[in-house]
Amino acid sequence: MKKFTPFLFLFLTTISTLFAQETAKTKEKGHPDENKFRQMYDLLATPNMYRTASGAPGPEYYQQQADYKIDVEIDDKNTKLYGNETITYHNNAKEPLNYLWVQMDQNQHARTSKTPLVTSNKTEPALSTEAFSRKYLEEKFDGGFKIEYVNDANGSPMKYTVNETMMRIDLDKPLAYGQKISFSIKYWYNINNYIIDGGRSGYEHFKTDGNNLYVIAQFFPRMAVYNDVEGWQNMQFWGSGEFALPFGNYEVNITVPADHILEATGTLQNRNEVFTEEQLKRYALAEKSFDKPVIVVTQAEAELAEKSFSDKKKTWKFKAENVRDFGISTSRKFIYDAMAVKLGGKTVMAISLYPKEGNPLWEEYSTRVVAHTLKSYSSLTFDYPYPKAISINAQDQGMEYPMICWNFGRPETDGKYSDRVKFGMIGVIIHEVGHNFFPMIVNSDERQWTWMDEGLNSFMDYKAKIEWDKNFPVTRGPAKNIVPYMSGAQSGLEPIMSNSESIRQFGNNAYGKPATALNILRETIMGRELFDYAFKTYANRWKFKHPTPEDFFRTMEDASAVDLDWFFRGWFYTTDYTDIGIKEVKKYFVTNDPSKEVKDFLAKKPQRRSGVDGPMVYMTSEGSEDFKPDMNKAFEIKEIKSLDEYVQATFSKEEQAKLVNPKYFYQVTFNKPGGLVMPIIVEITYEDGSIENQTFPAQIWRMNDEEVSRTFATQKAITKIVVDPKLETADIDLTNNTWPKQEEKSKFD
């Protein structure tokens, strides 16, 4: 055995060391899994006994209950509201509670409110004298709850602390699992003129006749939600993030001037006391009218009441079961109409209240639209469970509460109106009535996730609008409509999964983008059958409960067997956009003899040979130096001896007759400048004018997020290829979606 000399050993060692060092220099660093199709374990809360991995409520799921008995009076002359409520709170959580949190949303209008201080404010170069006076000269509106007392069931004072729009009530002893506690709050507040002072409720003043039209909400201190996700949801109400509320039963007595007409959440208990005999007969007729509304309080009666300004009072009494909130609307100006709607095995009342300023538009459309909305939404979720749904005409409003909502839209003083006004009114009624389903019944946390009510509802109202009129001028839902937003500067965008108070483009982010995402899921990704089943499963799993985003995401997958982690990750957790284009199209022809291009391919990558060993069919691209096709028979398969022999030896005459005979071969390379993975939807136009569509699932990008290729073997020459021809994926750049490009000309044209 020979021995290495020291010199040789040193030399080899040095070479080996240098090689190892050089290898270390060139070796790339490791990286985490960045594949767009990785599962969302890093983003979703861990499943548990409260909320399962399937997206359903778990065996330990619980929710609290808050029942209310409220006496409220509206002082029309002084625009004040006086209230006295008794809350009975049931603790269904297995942990004891040392204190309770109550929402005080009216405090947003208090003079000491911090809400105006959290908005950037610049000096305006020009203001009207009225606006300048309100902004700089006049004393600010004195809103907010004035609490007279908080007492326990024995009438003894309870300790409480008000923190802006939240109030903590300290308990003498912890409220244990299964226990309940009752306490009373007496309060009053100045009602805001929402036209001047803003707000989601308040009153509208009519200078022509001196009357007020009230839309009253957040009018009582309301229990906050306590649940397994956040404990107490006691985030402050800054104005954008709406409400998170527990379900409960309500008894509400509302005292107003005797000449007012009123509607509210719940079932009216004393109709005989507040309606005239003739109005009672009309309402009874409306309960049996399923094809058109019946006028219960006529315009003539409303115009007469406008002039009365009665000093007498009347109390309207309502009961509501299993609702999360309560709304009221009252005015002596109200016309009232109603009709019956059959849903499943029950009858629901569709109702509208509006001043004469709303006619003839409201009498013609409002109640019919309410009925249509209930039917449309029920078809995709569950039969509407409440006894009625009410649409109130309130200028510059669009807001929802259980069984009642306020909606804008009025004609000109001469009664004429444009299509814009008509469709705007119909659209807002559909949207606000639709909120009965999301979030009034499927009770998501609006304070945190606006998209879970507004986004889902915008998707649903798009469907209802198109069903009302196939030419309805929709603004949200179709993929193409969200492109201007998604193609905007990234500095102005946030993911959908952003807190409600941190969204800059509120309408686009919380309404438009999630509505578009769901529409794409239904029409393009999942298909209507799978989507509708999964969506209905989610709605029924979580009706009268408190779902989270994870519950929605998981249910949509669980009920459909469609992996959607890639979709929810991209659309909801990022600001990525869709941009899929055609990078290159290479044309091939088949030959008996390998070209230089083919020989080089086989020499360099023999392992990439497809098929079995034996005689081969060679394909040469248009760009090859050996490319010499017959100009009259471009790309046509000629007699390929080895292929003919294989076919004859393998297939019978009958089987041979069924074989296709492709003449043209196109290798199309698609690239993806955008961050979102989406299906590749391809429209192919042939030389004879015929069109073929093919869709490649989004998973085609799983191995390469930048570009992928597909070969189309056709019997007819292709003259045009278009990606996303029907604008289904919200592709922000269409200039790269077509082959050949406008400036390109095929050598065979």
Side-chain angles (χ1 to χ4, degrees):
M1 181 177 180
K2 294 183 179 179
K3 294 182 180 180
F4 286 110
T5 64
F7 174 78
L8 181 59
F9 179 79
L10 177 62
F11 176 77
L12 291 175
T13 302
T14 302
I15 294 297
S16 175
T17 302
L18 290 173
F19 179 78
Q21 291 174 347
E22 189 62 29
T23 301
K25 289 179 182 179
T26 59
K27 185 174 179 61
E28 294 183 3
K29 295 181 179 179
H31 61 83
D33 183 4
E34 297 176 351
N35 190 286
K36 297 289 180 67
F37 294 90
R38 67 192 186 278
Q39 297 299 289
M40 293 205 300
Y41 299 133
D42 57 325
L43 296 175
L44 302 185
T46 303
N48 52 48
M49 295 297 284
Y50 301 108
R51 299 167 191 272
T52 69
S54 71
E60 293 294 320
Y61 176 81
Y62 72 90
Q63 61 191 44
Q64 311 291 60
Q65 180 174 333
D67 300 326
Y68 298 84
K69 291 185 177 181
I70 307 173
D71 291 307
V72 61
E73 179 174 351
I74 295 175
D75 179 352
D76 186 36
K77 291 183 178 179
N78 299 298
T79 57
K80 296 179 184 293
L81 184 145
Y82 298 91
N84 195 330
E85 67 176 343
T86 298
I87 302 174
T88 301
Y89 187 74
H90 305 252
N91 183 20
N92 298 319
K94 291 190 174 179
E95 60 267 31
L97 303 177
N98 295 313
Y99 45 78
L100 308 177
W101 280 103
V102 178
Q103 299 190 52
M104 306 280 284
D105 305 291
Q106 283 295 330
N107 285 358
Q108 188 194 26
H109 296 293
R111 284 178 180 166
T112 57
S113 171
K114 293 181 180 178
T115 297
L117 306 180
V118 300
T119 303
S120 179
N121 187 340
K122 294 183 178 180
T123 302
E124 297 169 284
L127 284 172
S128 68
T129 53
E130 182 182 3
F132 185 90
S133 177
R134 284 204 310 267
K135 187 170 184 177
Y136 295 112
L137 307 182
E138 300 172 25
E139 190 174 38
K140 303 304 179 186
F141 172 70
D142 183 20
F145 286 119
K146 279 49 173 192
I147 302 296
E148 295 193 11
Y149 63 70
V150 179
N151 289 345
D152 63 18
N154 298 317
S156 300
M158 301 178 74
K159 183 180 179 181
Y160 65 90
T161 300
V162 175
N163 176 14
E164 296 295 323
T165 59
M166 300 299 301
M167 177 169 69
R168 189 187 70 240
I169 299 176
D170 299 328
L171 304 179
D172 291 335
K173 61 178 182 179
L175 184 65
Y177 167 62
Q179 291 184 341
K180 62 183 179 181
I181 185 173
S182 294
F183 58 96
S184 299
I185 304 175
K186 187 176 182 181
Y187 61 94
W188 67 274
Y189 68 87
N190 293 311
I191 305 174
N192 55 301
N193 181 329
Y194 69 79
I195 301 291
I196 296 174
D197 301 306
R200 297 167 185 269
S201 66
Y203 72 91
E204 173 188 0
H205 183 69
F206 291 79
K207 293 181 179 179
T208 54
D209 54 41
N211 280 287
N212 296 325
L213 188 160
Y214 294 89
V215 285
I216 302 297
Q218 293 88 247
F219 65 91
F220 59 103
R222 305 175 298 170
M223 291 302 304
V225 166
Y226 183 88
N227 63 20
D228 61 286
V229 178
E230 295 194 47
W232 286 107
Q233 171 48 291
N234 53 11
M235 188 179 296
Q236 294 290 340
F237 178 49
W238 295 106
S240 294
E242 291 181 2
F243 313 111
L245 300 159
F247 288 102
N249 301 319
Y250 286 70
E251 295 181 22
V252 183
N253 300 323
I254 310 156
T255 300
V256 295
D259 49 5
H260 272 216
I261 293 295
L262 183 150
E263 261 294 2
T265 301
T267 301
L268 181 60
Q269 304 296 300
N270 62 333
R271 192 174 302 278
N272 291 342
E273 298 176 8
V274 294
F275 276 7
T276 67
E277 185 175 344
E278 188 61 35
Q279 290 165 352
L280 289 170
K281 292 178 182 179
R282 296 171 193 153
Y283 188 84
L285 182 61
E287 291 179 305
K288 300 176 182 178
S289 178
F290 293 90
D291 59 343
K292 62 181 180 180
V294 174
I295 305 295
V296 177
V297 178
T298 68
Q299 182 163 330
E301 289 169 332
E303 289 178 351
L304 184 62
E306 282 181 357
K307 305 171 184 177
S308 61
F309 293 91
S310 174
D311 289 328
K312 296 181 180 179
K313 299 178 182 180
K314 188 185 294 184
T315 299
W316 300 61
K317 301 177 180 180
F318 291 86
K319 286 186 178 180
E321 296 181 355
N322 209 16
V323 296
R324 63 167 238 169
D325 204 355
F326 201 97
I328 302 167
S329 187
T330 183
S331 179
R332 59 178 58 87
K333 292 178 66 66
F334 275 145
I335 303 164
Y336 184 124
D337 71 44
M339 67 180 287
V341 185
K342 184 67 69 177
L343 290 171
K346 63 180 293 186
T347 297
V348 174
M349 295 303 294
I351 300 169
S352 295
L353 280 72
Y354 43 93
K356 67 178 186 296
E357 286 80 2
N359 265 341
L361 185 61
W362 275 68
E363 183 176 321
E364 176 67 23
Y365 290 106
S366 179
T367 298
R368 288 181 171 88
V369 175
V370 174
H372 167 77
T373 304
L374 296 179
K375 293 175 183 177
S376 177
Y377 276 64
S378 294
S379 69
L380 205 57
T381 55
F382 43 76
D383 287 341
Y384 182 70
Y386 291 137
K388 65 185 180 185
I390 310 158
S391 171
I392 304 291
N393 180 215
Q395 186 73 351
D396 299 333
Q397 280 286 348
M399 195 59 200
E400 73 280 355
Y401 301 91
M403 306 184 216
I404 190 169
C405 58
W406 0 115
N407 306 300
F408 60 77
R410 288 179 187 159
E412 300 296 331
T413 54
D414 61 1
K416 295 180 180 179
Y417 53 86
S418 64
D419 280 349
R420 181 174 179 273
V421 170
K422 180 186 76 171
F423 283 118
M425 182 207 76
I426 293 172
V428 73
I429 292 174
I430 290 174
H431 184 85
E432 304 304 342
V433 171
H435 270 307
N436 277 288
F437 293 81
F438 304 96
M440 299 302 152
I441 297 170
V442 183
N443 189 12
S444 57
D445 180 357
E446 299 176 88
R447 188 60 53 87
Q448 177 73 313
W449 308 116
T450 297
W451 73 266
M452 286 196 75
D453 70 293
E454 297 295 359
L456 269 63
N457 189 44
S458 294
F459 159 72
M460 293 285 288
D461 82 42
Y462 164 67
K463 178 175 176 289
K465 289 170 182 174
I466 297 303
E467 290 171 349
W468 174 268
D469 182 343
K470 65 180 181 180
N471 296 315
F472 201 102
V474 293
T475 57
R476 293 171 179 146
K480 64 180 181 180
N481 291 6
I482 202 63
V483 167
Y485 170 69
M486 295 184 70
S487 61
Q490 285 291 320
S491 59
L493 306 180
E494 296 85 25
I496 292 174
M497 287 293 292
S498 297
N499 176 266
S500 302
E501 299 295 345
S502 302
I503 301 170
R504 280 167 284 193
Q505 298 189 50
F506 207 77
N508 285 321
N509 180 287
Y511 293 66
K513 188 178 176 183
T516 299
L518 296 184
N519 194 46
I520 290 174
L521 277 182
R522 186 173 192 255
E523 302 296 337
T524 303
I525 306 297
M526 301 173 70
R528 293 184 179 182
E529 183 178 0
L530 288 174
F531 178 92
D532 289 355
Y533 182 86
F535 193 80
K536 182 171 285 191
T537 299
Y538 166 73
N540 281 276
R541 278 179 174 177
W542 291 98
K543 63 183 178 182
F544 300 111
K545 294 182 176 67
H546 304 294
T548 66
E550 288 96 334
D551 300 320
F552 176 71
F553 298 148
R554 285 171 167 148
T555 295
M556 293 302 292
E557 286 193 346
D558 186 70
S560 68
V562 180
D563 180 10
L564 296 172
D565 282 34
W566 62 272
F567 185 87
F568 292 132
R569 179 187 293 276
W571 274 86
F572 286 77
Y573 288 87
T574 79
T575 59
D576 279 344
Y577 51 84
T578 307
D579 184 9
I580 298 173
I582 299 173
K583 179 182 179 181
E584 179 185 54
V585 176
K586 295 183 73 173
K587 306 174 188 179
Y588 284 82
F589 74 97
V590 178
T591 179
N592 283 299
D593 302 315
S595 64
K596 181 178 183 302
E597 177 187 36
V598 173
K599 291 176 181 177
D600 290 343
F601 170 80
L602 294 175
K604 294 178 180 178
K605 299 288 186 181
Q607 72 275 17
R608 289 184 60 184
R609 284 179 51 185
S610 60
V612 297
D613 292 335
M616 301 188 68
V617 176
Y618 302 110
M619 302 184 73
T620 301
S621 69
E622 178 183 3
S624 169
E625 61 186 46
D626 302 289
F627 181 73
K628 299 176 181 178
D630 185 330
M631 295 299 290
N632 295 318
K633 296 182 178 180
F635 313 119
E636 181 178 349
I637 295 181
K638 301 178 182 179
E639 290 186 11
I640 307 298
K641 183 178 180 181
S642 60
L643 180 60
D644 291 343
E645 291 174 348
Y646 174 81
V647 169
Q648 292 172 13
T650 306
F651 303 103
S652 67
K653 293 293 185 182
E654 292 78 10
E655 291 172 329
Q656 289 179 38
K658 297 178 182 179
L659 295 177
V660 296
N661 182 29
K663 299 180 180 180
Y664 306 90
F665 301 86
Y666 300 82
Q667 177 185 289
V668 183
T669 300
F670 303 94
N671 63 353
K672 190 171 71 63
L676 290 182
V677 288
M678 292 292 282
I680 303 175
I681 305 170
V682 182
E683 179 183 87
I684 299 172
T685 302
Y686 294 104
E687 60 185 345
D688 62 358
S690 61
I691 293 176
E692 179 185 354
N693 291 281
Q694 295 190 35
T695 297
F696 303 97
Q699 283 75 9
I700 194 172
W701 302 102
R702 69 195 187 284
M703 297 299 181
N704 188 332
D705 192 49
E706 295 182 358
E707 64 178 49
V708 295
S709 296
R710 294 290 304 185
T711 296
F712 298 87
T714 68
Q715 293 177 295
K716 296 178 288 186
I718 295 176
T719 58
K720 187 177 183 181
I721 303 174
V722 180
V723 172
D724 194 11
K726 297 180 181 178
L727 308 181
E728 298 178 59
T729 66
D731 195 316
I732 70 162
D733 181 7
L734 302 181
T735 63
N736 59 354
N737 286 36
T738 302
W739 174 89
K741 291 183 179 180
Q742 192 68 30
E743 65 273 12
E744 288 182 354
K745 291 291 183 181
S746 169
K747 64 180 66 179
F748 299 108
D749 287 348

